[in-house]
Amino acid sequence: MRTLTKQNLEDIVVGCSFLGTGGGGSFSRGMKRIYDDLDAGLVFKLMSPQEMKDDEYAAATYGVGSTAPPTEEARQRYAKLPRIKEKSTAAAFRLLQKHMNKTFVATIAGEIGPGNTTAAMSAAAHIGIAQLDADTVGRAAPEIDQNAALAAGLQITPAAGATEYGDELILAKIAATSREEDFFRAAAMVSMGIGVADTPIAGRDAKRAGVLVQGSISHAEEVGKAFRMAVETHRDPIQAVLDAGHGYRLFEGKITDFKWKDQGGYLVGDVEISGSGKFQGSIFKIAYKNENLVSWRDGKFSVTCPDLITMVIKDSGKAIANPDFEKGQETIVIGFPSAPNWRTPLGLELFGPRRFGFDTPFVPIEQMQ
Amino acid sequence: MFGRPRDGTSGGATRRRDFIRLASANLAWSGLSLRVDALKFRSTLKPVTLYAQIGNLFPPLELVRRICNARHTNAHLLLMSDSSGPELPGARSPQMIHVGVRMTELDPREHQGNLQRSAQEAVARRIGIVLEERFRYHVVKTTVDLSPAFWYPYLGTTAGNLVFCRLVVKDCLVAEAGQEPCDEWSSPRMSTGMVGSN
């Protein structure tokens, strides 16, 4: 177990922005959450799954939101509701503990992304426990059942939900893995978001390879640290991120077109890039559902989920969050291999390109280079 | 040449009074001239609208390098331009300006990285000054990005307390000509629309 410094935390959030693949929550809100907690004197601790005793428990906590803006009538109705003092993620986490009659020793990040990873870390700091150096995806993902514990054959329920108004929900059992998403997404749409806690997991399981994505917080920290050090020493920060994350430079060019829409609470769209330099004459396209999922180069499938696709701004190295594109913006597309948890038949069923309706088999990024 | 003063005061006092009157007249005249000059100066300024993201944690690396190299100077505001060259930004291509501001009079150590409202206001004032002095723009409307604002976390100990800003400047006259409203700024993330494109 180690206590994280301000710089450790900044590195983690920056690293998460590259591994969030265009989603994973707001970078600036994630950073503000960390700074606010530090200003309040809270302490962030990171704990390896290997430090858990077999019978100790941890659980994931994260927020589920809706990108659809509420109607004026709904907004007025929400304004009359009471507010709880606690963060909804921490409230959901406590509710799950109460339901299971257990005291959890750590939170688990629901994904690696600047918003949702910091939500779990902040909940841990508020409750006074550690954050596990692990998450349930190894990147950011659009749906709740893209959860490595499911890919390992475990259950992610019971789950708890809490709104900022004080509503509390327990999901004791689900009929199919996709049902947790259905229930909490629906609750989020009538509450302007909901805090969720799920994947209660015993130490004996958390320590096993292939159940959680172990070391993913430290990995994000390494990526963010590489970026910082490259900026400070005037080296290419994008190359530093690729080196730290074992990634690949997939394409480079200018954004020429993009479209997006709100579809059932998800941000769905695509972006097209016209190649420059050694990619001159080529067109690269990325489709996303909150997070970047599949890509094409000159009409042929290129890197797909579960591998990571991230767009960065060329002149600053900033990872682009969907859909903050600007036409004519010079961008570099980078990619990283997914956690091995996903490269199994069940993993690909949950997070392969066909899961999202793209008729192509998964080809690992390293085999495309 | 000069008659004796009827109040019996000395010639020296009269000279002093005359000098003061003359000086006052000159001062008034100078003041008037200055005001006319200011009006002339103001009339040469182009009215623009400004969308400002204050506290950008990912400034252009070129600006970071420039600030690193200038770390021993007294310059509090280091500037780089820009996406559209020296011409006034047209409605079709708003000008992008990145600014690095070195804050010295505020103490950031009260906070772990959040840029407080008072510090944001100080940054906004400096931005307004530099846009007038260096670009001859008169900002008629400023919209500040609603995202949280931060001190730049890197280089903080060696280069002072840095705040980077991303400014999008639009020519208000072009907008008034009916091409695009100059006071309506939005990004897909902040807008209330349900569908977007470029």
Side-chain angles (χ1 to χ4, degrees), chain A residues 295-315:
Chain A
S295 63
W296 297 262
R297 183 167 169 184
D298 297 326
K300 291 180 182 171
F301 276 106
S302 180
V303 175
T304 71
C305 55
D307 285 345
L308 288 67
I309 306 163
T310 297
M311 291 172 66
V312 296
I313 298 172
K314 189 178 177 183
D315 72 351

Side-chain angles (χ1 to χ4, degrees), chain A residues 181-197:
Chain A
E181 173 77 28
D182 294 341
F183 282 112
F184 285 130
R185 185 72 59 181
M189 289 179 81
V190 294
S191 313
M192 293 176 72
I194 186 168
V196 173

Side-chain angles (χ1 to χ4, degrees), chain A residues 6 10 14 27-28 32 35-36 38-39 69 228 231 237 256-258 260-262 315-316 318 322 324 326, chain B residues 57-61 65 68 96 111-114 147-148 150 152-154 166 188-189 192 194-198:
Chain A
K6 174 173 171 273
E10 286 166 351
V14 171
F27 173 84
S28 58
K32 181 163 171 48
Y35 288 148
D36 283 346
L38 289 171
D39 280 342
R228 170 172 56 83
V231 169
T256 50
D257 197 16
F258 60 87
W260 60 271
K261 61 183 173 181
D262 186 304
D315 72 351
S316 65
K318 179 188 181 184
N322 300 327
D324 292 344
E326 286 174 15
Chain B
L57 292 183
F58 292 92
L61 297 166
R65 287 188 191 112
C68 278
M96 187 96 69
H111 302 283
Q112 296 282 347
N114 291 316
S147 303
F150 306 105
Y152 187 66
Y154 314 139
R166 178 176 172 274
R189 194 164 285 279
T192 54
M194 301 288 282
V195 178
S197 71
N198 61 0

Side-chain angles (χ1 to χ4, degrees), chain B residues 109-145:
Chain B
R109 275 169 287 191
E110 288 174 18
H111 302 283
Q112 296 282 347
N114 291 316
L115 197 60
Q116 299 301 297
R117 174 63 71 183
S118 59
Q120 288 185 54
E121 285 167 1
V123 172
R125 278 196 299 276
R126 292 188 195 188
I127 288 169
I129 291 167
V130 82
L131 287 176
E132 242 184 56
E133 288 180 349
R134 298 201 192 183
F135 290 90
R136 304 187 69 73
Y137 293 159
H138 172 57
V139 179
V140 295
K141 182 177 171 62
T142 301
T143 306
V144 177
D145 193 307

Side-chain angles (χ1 to χ4, degrees), chain A residues 9-288:
Chain A
L9 292 161
E10 286 166 351
D11 288 343
I12 288 169
V13 185
V14 171
C16 284
S17 73
F18 292 104
L19 304 174
T21 65
S26 160
F27 173 84
S28 58
R29 288 184 199 288
M31 197 66 105
K32 181 163 171 48
R33 186 178 285 137
I34 293 295
Y35 288 148
D36 283 346
D37 288 348
L38 289 171
D39 280 342
L42 298 182
V43 176
F44 291 82
K45 290 185 174 165
L46 193 66
M47 172 186 186
S48 164
Q50 304 306 323
E51 294 177 73
M52 288 177 73
K53 292 177 185 160
D54 283 354
D55 57 351
E56 284 181 333
Y57 270 75
T61 185
Y62 51 91
V64 171
S66 169
T67 52
T71 62
E72 188 51 38
E73 184 266 330
R75 196 186 295 274
Q76 284 176 9
R77 217 156 20 92
Y78 297 147
K80 291 176 189 161
L81 294 172
R83 293 282 196 283
I84 58 171
K85 286 181 184 167
E86 197 169 34
K87 286 170 181 282
S88 61
T89 44
F93 192 83
R94 288 190 203 276
L95 179 62
L96 186 60
Q97 287 187 119
K98 190 174 155 193
H99 173 74
M100 294 182 67
N101 197 25
K102 291 184 187 305
T103 301
F104 300 156
V105 295
T107 62
I108 306 169
E111 63 184 9
I112 295 296
N116 266 330
T117 300
T118 54
M121 298 180 81
S122 176
H126 277 263
I127 295 166
I129 56 176
Q131 159 76 34
L132 215 57
D133 189 3
D135 79 301
T136 59
V137 196
R139 52 164 286 176
E143 296 161 1
I144 289 175
D145 55 348
Q146 277 102 48
N147 183 317
L150 284 174
L154 301 180
Q155 294 297 313
I156 58 173
T157 50
T163 70
E164 62 180 291
Y165 316 112
D167 308 304
E168 294 185 345
L169 298 89
I170 288 289
L171 207 55
K173 188 181 169 191
I174 46 175
T177 55
S178 60
R179 295 295 286 161
E180 185 182 333
E181 173 77 28
D182 294 341
F183 282 112
F184 285 130
R185 185 72 59 181
M189 289 179 81
V190 294
S191 313
M192 293 176 72
I194 186 168
V196 173
D198 66 10
T199 321
I201 196 163
R204 69 180 72 85
D205 289 325
K207 287 186 249 188
R208 278 169 45 207
V211 173
L212 296 172
V213 180
Q214 294 193 33
S216 57
I217 308 292
S218 295
H219 179 63
E221 185 183 356
E222 284 302 313
V223 171
K225 183 180 174 185
F227 180 89
R228 170 172 56 83
M229 295 192 71
V231 169
E232 287 179 350
T233 54
H234 303 185
R235 290 180 292 116
D236 177 3
I238 298 170
Q239 190 55 50
V241 164
L242 291 175
D243 292 344
H246 314 294
Y248 301 90
R249 198 176 287 246
L250 302 178
F251 200 75
E252 187 171 330
K254 277 187 180 178
I255 295 173
T256 50
D257 197 16
F258 60 87
K259 297 187 290 295
W260 60 271
K261 61 183 173 181
D262 186 304
Q263 189 173 293
Y266 295 103
L267 188 73
V268 177
D270 56 57
V271 55
E272 196 173 277
I273 305 150
S274 179
S276 58
K278 70 174 185 176
F279 300 100
Q280 187 83 38
S282 276
I283 299 288
F284 201 83
K285 191 173 170 181
I286 299 169
Y288 58 86

Side-chain angles (χ1 to χ4, degrees), chain B residues 21-39:
Chain B
R21 268 196 212 114
L22 189 63
S24 301
N26 281 342
L27 205 62
W29 180 249
S30 304
L32 190 61
S33 301
L34 276 175
R35 219 168 297 152
V36 170
D37 287 346
L39 283 171

